[in-house]
Amino acid sequence: QVQLVESGGGLVQPGGSLRLSCAASGSVFSDNVMRWWRQAPGNERELVATITSGDSINYVDSVKGRFTISRGNAKNTINLQMNSLKPEDTAVYYCYLANIGGTSGREEYWGQGTQVTVSS
């Protein structure tokens, strides 16, 4: 089992910045994928950013140039630096981890989410 704990959400004005963090504990495989997803009210959950254990990184087009996903100094942590925030970035942000391998081939885990609100 893996536990994911997010932190860093809050209220920020348009144009501001926030930094989200996600700490994974438990049985984290060396081969894994970690992601940030978000879900705004009335919308489907949207993939925001991905980082693999090989440090391959991808972003949804709407956040390119504004958001940066990175690995934290602590083992099995990731960060999402969000700059130039817009009201449309308002959502609950979820950390996700997929362990690759093992008997099932892939095990997926989700954090409980952290609210990001961009408003003046």
Side-chain angles (χ1 to χ4, degrees), residues 38-118:
R38 66 185 179 187
Q39 188 167 20
N43 290 357
E44 293 186 353
R45 196 168 290 190
E46 175 187 43
L47 176 59
V48 176
T50 298
I51 186 166
T52 70
S53 50
D55 289 334
S56 176
I57 290 174
N58 285 286
Y59 301 97
V60 67
D61 285 347
S62 61
V63 308
K64 286 180 179 177
R66 300 189 298 122
F67 289 13
T68 302
I69 189 171
S70 63
R71 293 200 174 270
N73 292 328
K75 187 177 180 181
N76 297 327
T77 62
I78 60 169
N79 301 309
L80 185 69
Q81 179 66 42
M82 304 185 293
N83 299 328
S84 302
L85 282 161
K86 304 175 181 180
E88 51 264 43
D89 294 317
T90 296
V92 178
Y93 284 70
Y94 296 91
C95 182
Y96 161 100
L97 180 143
N99 277 333
I100 311 301
T103 56
S104 65
R106 186 181 184 95
E107 299 173 348
E108 299 180 321
Y109 301 92
W110 292 87
Q112 292 192 328
T114 185
Q115 177 70 45
V116 171
T117 302
V118 184

